[in-house]
Every structure is written in C-alpha cells, then in structure tokens.
C-alpha cells in the first residue's frame, strides 16, 4: 500500500505495526476488557497481533479498493498515495518540502490560486488521467520559491498546503507553539518532545520526561507480580533480569 509508483514499497518506520496496530490497539483492548469486567465481573485473555492490528488500522484502504476514485489503481497511482498531483509533497527552491492535501474542490481552487494557476483552465482538472502532467507542472512551480515563501503565500488561503517540518522546526511552528504541543525534555540530544495527546480537560496527563533506562523498575514490577524478594534476588544473581536501581534493598 505504501510507496510511489514504480518504486520499492516504503516502510512506515515502525509506527503502523509496533505503535498503531500493536501498542495502541492493545491498550484500547485493555480498556475495553476493563469496561466489560464492570458488567460481567469476569476477566478475559486479550489476543493482540501487530500484523492483524496493522491490517485493521488500514480497514479504510481495504474497503476503498472498490471505489474507482480512491484506491482502485496500482500503488502510487491513487488519490491519497502520492498518485494525485493535489495530494503529495513538493520540493522547494531551498531543498525543503511543502505538503499538499487539497482534495476537496474548495481547497483545490485555493491551491491553484496560491500557485498562480487560478485562470489556467487546464489546471482545474482533478481527473486521474491528468495526474502525471499536472504533477510535473506543480513540481516546476514549487521549485521556484523557498519553503518560507510558499508558507507565507498559503498561510491565509486555507488550501491544505503546509510546510514539511523536521524535528527541530516542528516545535517552533506557530500552531504548535500556541497549543504548547511540545515540552522541554531532560535529554540533551532531544531538547523537546511531544506532549501527551489527546488532552483531557479535567484530568490531563502528567508526562514523565525522565530518560528511561533498561531495568528501571524491574525489581518493583516483579514484586508487584507476586515474586518474593528471594526469588527476585536469585533472578538478578543469575542474570535472568537486570536492574538499573542503585542500592537495591533486596
């Protein structure tokens, strides 16, 4: 599903399986089981699979294969997989990028206005037959200005055109600064990190910004699980588990 036309499939880092299909859906399943326990007073086993979770997260794409407008073509030729000229990223004059997601007609018209193509009848097409030709035109136009210049042009157009920001620039974006979306980190190599989201109005999360180490809570968790101090001491001595705690009271 992921990747451009005639190129190798693109790995989604480890966000799709490990975090979305794995961790997030497992946490969601735990909450569902806890909620159901309040009704039945019974526990149950959660069967979590990253492979199945990643597929389930992608349900929209699986079901969209029957739609000629969304996902009926080969990879890289569809509406939202870099096939369309109005849903892709474009390189700017300074080597940075702008993201374009102007699917709806009103956004597409504003996109054309920002590119100076509002009076170009040939550019009004959103038909798959014209994807390639218009993408070449958009590529040439975006290369004529810097990311900052394009950002200023589209800042008040509401055309779903935004700058592609890296780790250093994202926290300083006006929207993110206004929402306090990033917090100061205790790690020198990562000065800022994302704030927990979604944000609850009455009981917002209190993030732990300390740097985790392997075995930080090993002893504590084993004792909570029901192991005796002697059993935990033996596990540590045999190297079965490791603890980063200094001066353990075991």
């Amino acid at each position: 599903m992921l990747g451009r036309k005639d190129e190798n499939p693109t790995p989604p880092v480890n966000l799709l399986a490990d975090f979305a299909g794995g961790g997030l859906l497992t946490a969601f399943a735990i909450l569902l089981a806890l909620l159901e326990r309040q009704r039945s007073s019974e526990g149950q086993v959660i069967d979590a699979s990253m492979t199945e979770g990643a597929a389930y997260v992608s349900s929209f794409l699986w079901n969209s294969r029957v739609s000629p407008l969304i996902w009926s073509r080969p990879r890289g030729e569809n509406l939202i997989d870099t096939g369309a000229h109005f849903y892709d990223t474009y390189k700017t004059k300074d080597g940075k990028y702008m993201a374009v997601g102007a699917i709806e007609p009103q956004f597409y018209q504003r996109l054309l206005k920002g590119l100076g193509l509002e009076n170009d009848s040939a550019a009004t097409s959103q038909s798959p037959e014209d994807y390639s030709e218009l993408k070449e035109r958009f590529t040439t136009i975006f290369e004529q200005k810097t990311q900052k210049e394009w950002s200023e042009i589209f800042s008040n157009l509401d055309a779903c055109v935004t700058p592609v920001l890296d780790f250093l620039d994202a926290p300083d974006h006006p929207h993110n600064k206004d929402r306090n979306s990033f917090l100061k980190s205790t790690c020198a190599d990562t000065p800022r990190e994302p704030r927990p989201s979604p944000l609850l109005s009455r009981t917002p999360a209190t993030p732990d910004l300390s740097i985790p180490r392997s075995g930080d809570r090993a002893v504590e968790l084993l004792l909570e699980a029901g192991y005796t101090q002697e059993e935990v001491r033996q596990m540590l001595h045999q190297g079965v588990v490791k603890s980063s705690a200094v001066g353990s009271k075991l």
Side-chain angles (χ1 to χ4, degrees):
M1 292 182 180
L2 304 177
R4 295 182 178 277
K5 178 182 178 181
D6 299 327
E7 295 184 9
N8 292 346
T10 302
V13 197
N14 63 337
L15 297 178
L16 183 56
D18 288 3
F19 292 102
L24 190 59
L25 285 187
T26 299
F28 181 59
I30 292 172
L31 295 177
L32 291 177
L34 290 173
L35 181 62
E36 195 279 335
R37 187 187 64 177
Q38 292 181 338
R39 301 177 180 178
S40 66
S41 299
E42 296 182 4
Q44 56 186 308
V45 175
I46 297 172
D47 181 358
S49 163
M50 287 192 296
T51 303
E52 294 170 4
Y56 185 61
V57 169
S58 308
S59 294
F60 168 75
L61 300 181
W62 287 83
N63 295 328
S64 296
R65 291 177 299 165
V66 299
S67 171
L69 297 177
I70 300 178
W71 207 271
S72 61
R73 293 167 174 263
R75 173 172 51 83
E77 298 181 23
N78 298 285
L79 182 69
I80 55 176
D81 68 345
T82 73
H85 55 289
F86 49 84
Y87 203 92
D88 203 348
T89 57
Y90 291 92
K91 193 172 185 178
T92 57
K93 185 177 181 180
D94 54 347
K96 298 183 179 181
Y97 294 87
M98 295 294 292
V100 176
I103 296 178
E104 292 81 354
Q106 67 272 26
F107 297 133
Y108 187 67
Q109 291 303 314
R110 295 167 192 155
L111 166 63
L112 295 181
K113 180 178 180 180
L115 296 177
L117 298 174
E118 66 269 36
N119 296 319
D120 189 327
S121 58
T124 60
S125 174
Q126 288 185 271
S127 171
E129 285 69 27
D130 298 317
Y131 282 175
S132 297
E133 180 181 348
L134 288 173
K135 182 171 289 192
E136 292 179 3
R137 294 186 63 185
F138 280 22
T139 298
T140 300
I141 294 174
F142 271 106
E143 289 178 340
Q144 296 173 3
K145 290 182 173 62
T146 65
Q147 184 190 74
K148 182 178 180 180
E149 291 173 325
W150 285 121
S151 297
E152 292 174 350
I153 289 173
F154 285 103
S155 61
N156 296 314
L157 281 180
D158 191 18
C160 294
V161 179
T162 57
V164 178
L165 304 176
D166 59 21
F167 287 114
L168 296 177
D169 293 333
D172 291 325
H173 188 275
H175 174 81
N176 294 332
K177 292 179 68 174
D178 184 63
R179 286 185 51 83
N180 194 31
S181 300
F182 292 83
L183 305 176
K184 290 184 179 180
S185 173
T186 57
C187 179
D189 296 329
T190 308
R192 285 174 288 184
E193 58 185 82
R195 169 175 58 83
S197 180
L199 185 64
L200 303 183
S201 62
R202 187 171 53 82
T203 57
T206 303
D208 181 2
L209 300 180
S210 61
I211 303 173
R213 296 176 297 172
S214 177
D216 262 354
R217 299 182 59 210
V219 172
E220 177 186 351
L221 293 174
L222 287 171
L223 292 175
E224 287 182 3
Y227 291 95
T228 66
Q229 290 191 352
E230 179 58 30
E231 289 173 327
V232 175
R233 185 181 294 109
Q234 287 296 322
M235 283 189 247
L236 291 171
H237 177 72
Q238 296 171 4
V240 176
V241 295
K242 293 183 179 180
S243 173
S244 61
V246 179
S248 173
K249 296 181 180 180
L250 286 177

